[in-house]
């Protein structure tokens, strides 16, 4: 033993000398199990007994370390369990090192708790006395739960197989029917005393008595102890202390502080006389008073208190209970109320070793290997080993029960609030409400899995004939029809109010789901309801005409729209090179001028070279008579600024009058007819799925027109004093129903002299009277930019950022500024509503003057991330007849190459153009050609296109 007065070994490796000493005790061996918590690295709970394991000892789960003091009858068995911090750390490290297995705290905690219960059950059957060591200062209430689990496991599992299995072994006769030595007496050792309390005899005793009362009430209330020793799991002594507080010994002291204290005691001298040697020693002290004593002098120390500290030890506390067992009164009065004689079996060391070996094998060893479980024939024992952890996991059952209740509540809440047909947004909202209802009852780790199960059940309920189609409309509204039920067309249930082409009649329109439904079918339906739409004269836009039934929509690379630019340009260059070989020299030069106009993006192939000339003419200032093609490369912003500046400086337009061309007759032989170049490139098998824009593929036309241009009557139907009346244009807001007057000064440049003399007699009297006013005239044009919201409210704009508010907003140059400024495509409607509706630019009203000129309209709408520039798609911009009221209706929905451009949800006041805008400079002017009809303008050849000028 050396300096130690005890033996220690690891079970079952008992040293031979120790075995001989234990055999000499005979049947007077009292086994004390020490179990509980520890915080030291060696998982040692024996320091209160002034015992320690060997230096090479390594703590391990389910390991037993035995201690024996020679000359005593006490065998102390130290149980190393998962409640020891050192072993708990080992288990955490082993769990974290498992590949692919996430660390789940609840599962880990339950597994550690079950391992501890297994070791407590072993101690319950092989020990006479149990000492539970607690590192805290108060009783841990979770220990009551451990005791309950032990009682449940013993009554429901162990007693089903232990008697039969032990009956075949020597341990069966020794342990009896109860399969244990006795109802073990449990003692509680608290290693730390409350720091705030005084460590006197009265305070320590009062604390111990108070803790005893609390423990007794808890154990009695939960039936851990009872009046019957056979039904009681544990026993408590009658009128004897079973709680011990270590108030005087510092069990886990800091070694460095202890060394300093010993140094202080060694340097302190008892005599009060100080010598020179003492002063030299004092100078070495790090601070004043370093060698002074911290305690009271011996004379002031209470002798009774000193005697109490000497006698108040754990060993003395334990020996009083060991003596009860040796004297045979161990169970007498062990339940504090009714004295009762119970079973107490004292064994010798050899017999006890046989008992613990068999129980350790049944309760601990076999539980750790799957092979041993498969070889067991006893069904109850096999069930115990397989489902022991699961049966003790009461918290998991509790959480599962709560989650089951919450699952029923959540599903019921979902089904009760679910309508007959609903979409994914409603499903998500109902699911969120059901989750909140679930969380009122559902708790614990299974909650996440239960919510996932509830989501799956609710999803199946939704998909079982209640799922909404949810096909999005062009206005981003989902279809409300059932998904699995057939329906002819989609319907979102959202109704908009829109006006017809002429603007006279308003009707309710369903939310469109296709471009044709939005831009064509509704307005064709409104023609049947409007008396004016039937009578008006409309411009026919070019559309796709198939040559057979096998036609399809053209496919595009939507992600790279600008790539079509290069492809189209290469195709055009190759075709134009072939045409240059057949054209005369002059025509080739003109053709090359048209190609090399310097535009950064090519014009729409549908327009052909005629539109190139017209656009080039739009780039000149107002006082130039002929278009200059070299200036066609200017951008829209530059042309807008130049036109605005010229209009402000000299609002005069120069118009060259030429000899009117005769209307050609239709050729009888189709072969003799000379088709236009652009018509030769028109496809008859593929159509354009969207609207025509400047980057459209060569030769593609749409299936239907998305624009509308109609003459709704003579110019006299509009009165600038009253504005647009309700019977003519319905739905306008008060004060926003006026057109803006636009005065354009025109200077006529006459034709050559022979032309003037030869044609002068043929002029009408009206023209002659008109010329009498001189070469200058003033054209009064009325223009209005109409916006319409989805509720049918219509209004005119007087500025790009201001709604017309009556005659006060109409100034002399208001319209001149408007036509030379980009107009936003969307603008907030001024109607009062909780929802901020966006109004869309839908119509452009033009009242042409009473003069021998035609107003040209060539609108361009720029919008989308890819900056599509949508155009009318006609080869030649339409000419508006004189002295008439014209209305140009814009598309309701814009779509590029298979890419829908949705309107913005909200416009920022600082960026009204973010949703799109109408480019400035859409109006031009040309001399009236009486030989042309409104829908015969496409018969113009290349030479007749440049006869108009941008206003």
């Amino acid at each position: 033993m050396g300096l130690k007065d005890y033996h220690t070994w690891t079970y079952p490796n008992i040293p031979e000398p120790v075995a001989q000493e234990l055999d000499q005790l005979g049947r007077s061996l009292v086994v004390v199990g020490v179990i509980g918590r520890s915080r030291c690295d060696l998982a040692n709970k024996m320091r209160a007994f002034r015992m320690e394991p060997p230096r090479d000892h390594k703590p391990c789960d389910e390991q037993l370390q035995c201690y024996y003091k020679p000359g005593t009858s006490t065998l102390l068995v130290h149980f190393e369990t998962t409640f020891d911090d050192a072993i708990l750390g080992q288990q955490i490290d082993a769990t974290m090192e498992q590949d692919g297995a996430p660390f789940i705290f609840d599962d880990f905690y339950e597994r550690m708790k079950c391992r501890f219960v297994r070791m407590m059950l072993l101690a319950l059957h092989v020990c006479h006395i149990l000492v539970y060591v607690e590192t805290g200062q108060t009783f841990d209430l979770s220990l009551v739960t451990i005791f309950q689990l032990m009682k449940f496991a013993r009554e429901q599992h162990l007693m089903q197989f232990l008697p039969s299995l032990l009956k075949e072994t020597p341990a069966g006769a020794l342990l009896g029917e109860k399969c244990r030595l006795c109802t073990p007496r449990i003692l509680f050792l608290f290693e730390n005393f409350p720091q705030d309390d005084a460590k006197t005899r009265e305070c320590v005793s009062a604390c111990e008595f108070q803790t005893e009362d609390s423990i007794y009430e808890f154990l009695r209330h939960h039936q851990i102890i009872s009046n019957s020793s056979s039904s009681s799991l544990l026993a408590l002594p009658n009128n004897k202390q079973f709680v011990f507080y270590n108030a005087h010994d510092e069990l886990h002291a800091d070694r460095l502080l202890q060394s300093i204290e010993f140094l202080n005691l060694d340097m302190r001298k008892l005599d009060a006389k100080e010598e020179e040697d003492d002063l030299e020693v004092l100078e070495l002290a790090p601070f004043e008073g370093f060698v002074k004593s911290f305690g009271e002098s011996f004379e002031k120390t209470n002798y009774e208190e000193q005697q109490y500290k000497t006698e108040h030890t754990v060993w003395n506390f334990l020996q009083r209970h060991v003596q009860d067992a040796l004297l045979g009164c161990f169970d007498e009065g062990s339940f504090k109320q009714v004295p009762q004689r119970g079973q107490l079996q004292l064994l010798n060391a050899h017999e006890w070793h046989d008992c613990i070996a068999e129980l350790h094998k049944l309760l601990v060893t076999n539980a750790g290997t799957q092979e041993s479980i498969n070889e067991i024939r006893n069904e109850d024992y096999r069930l115990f080993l397989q489902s022991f952890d699961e049966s003790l996991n009461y918290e998991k059952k509790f959480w599962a029960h709560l989650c089951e209740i919450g699952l029923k509540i959540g599903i019921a809440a979902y089904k009760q609030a679910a309508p007959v047909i609903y979409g994914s947004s409603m499903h998500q909202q109902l699911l969120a409400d059901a989750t909140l209802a679930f969380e009122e009852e559902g708790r614990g780790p299974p909650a996440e899995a239960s919510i996932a199960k509830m989501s799956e059940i609710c999803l199946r309920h939704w998909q079982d004939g209640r799922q909404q189609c949810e096909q999005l409309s062009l206005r981003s509204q989902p279809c409300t029809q059932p998904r699995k039920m057939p329906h002819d067309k989609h319907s979102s249930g959202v109704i908009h109010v829109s006006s017809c082409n002429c603007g006279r009649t308003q009707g309710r329109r369903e939310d469109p789901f296709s471009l044709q439904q939005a831009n064509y079918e509704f307005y064709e339906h409104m023609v049947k309801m409007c008396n004016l739409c039937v009578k008006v004269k409309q411009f026919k836009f070019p559309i796709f005409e198939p040559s057979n039934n096998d036609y399809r929509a053209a496919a595009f690379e939507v992600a790279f729209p600008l790539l079509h630019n290069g492809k189209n340009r290469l195709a055009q260059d190759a075709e134009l090179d072939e045409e240059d070989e057949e054209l005369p020299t002059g025509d080739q030069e003109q053709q090359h001028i048209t190609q090399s106009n310097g535009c950064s993006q090519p014009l729409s192939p549908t327009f052909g070279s005629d539109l190139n000339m017209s656009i080039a003419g739009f780039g000149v200032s107002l006082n130039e008579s002929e278009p200059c093609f070299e200036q066609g490369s200017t951008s829209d912003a530059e042309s807008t600024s130049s036109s605005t500046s010229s209009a402000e400086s000299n609002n005069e337009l120069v118009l060259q009058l030429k000899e009117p061309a005769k209307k050609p007759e239709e050729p009888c032989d189709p072969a003799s007819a000379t088709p236009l170049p652009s018509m030769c490139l028109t496809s008859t098998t593929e159509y354009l799925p969207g609207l025509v824009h400047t980057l459209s593929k060569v030769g593609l036309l749409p299936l239907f027109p998305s624009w509308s241009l109609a003459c709704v009557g003579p110019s006299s139907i509009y009165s600038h004093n009253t504005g647009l009346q309700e019977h003519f244009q319905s739905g306008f807001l008060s004060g926003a129903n006026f057109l803006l007057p636009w005065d354009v000064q025109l200077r006529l440049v006459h034709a050559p002299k022979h032309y003037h003399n030869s044609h002068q007699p043929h002029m009408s009297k009206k023209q002659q009277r008109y010329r009498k006013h001189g070469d200058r005239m003033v054209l009064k044009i009325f223009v209005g930019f109409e916006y319409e919201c989805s509720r049918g409210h219509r209004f005119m704009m007087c500025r790009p950022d201001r709604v017309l508010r009556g005659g006060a907003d109409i100034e002399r140059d208001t319209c001149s500024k408007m036509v030379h400024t980009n107009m936003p495509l969307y603008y907030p409607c001024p109607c009062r509503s909780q929802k901020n509706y966006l109004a869309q630019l839908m119509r452009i009203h033009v009242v042409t003057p009473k003069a021998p000129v035609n107003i040209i309209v060539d609108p361009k709408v720029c919008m989308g991330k890819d900056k599509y520039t949508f155009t009318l798609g006609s080869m030649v911009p339409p000419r508006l007849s004189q002295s008439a009221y014209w209305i140009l209706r814009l598309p309701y929905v814009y779509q590029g190459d298979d890419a829908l451009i949705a309107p913005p949800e909200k416009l920022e006041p600082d960026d009204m153009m973010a949703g799109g805008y109408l480019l400035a400079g859409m109006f031009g002017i040309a001399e009236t050609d009486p030989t042309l009809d409104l829908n015969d303008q496409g018969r113009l050849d290349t030479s007749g296109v440049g006869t108009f000028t941008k206003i």
Side-chain angles (χ1 to χ4, degrees), residues 362-373:
L362 294 176
L363 300 180
V364 179
T365 306
N366 291 344
T369 58
Q370 187 64 30
E371 297 178 357
S372 59
I373 296 177

Side-chain angles (χ1 to χ4, degrees), residues 593-638:
I593 291 175
T594 305
Q595 295 180 52
S596 60
N597 55 4
C599 293
S600 59
Q601 296 179 351
L603 298 174
S604 174
T606 313
F607 289 151
S609 60
D610 296 336
L611 186 58
N612 285 342
M613 296 177 65
S614 66
I615 293 298
F618 282 7
V620 301
S621 61
L622 294 176
N623 58 357
E624 292 179 353
S625 59
E626 294 183 358
C628 180
F629 300 106
E630 287 76 2
Q631 297 180 359
S633 61
T634 56
S635 62
D636 296 329
E638 293 174 352

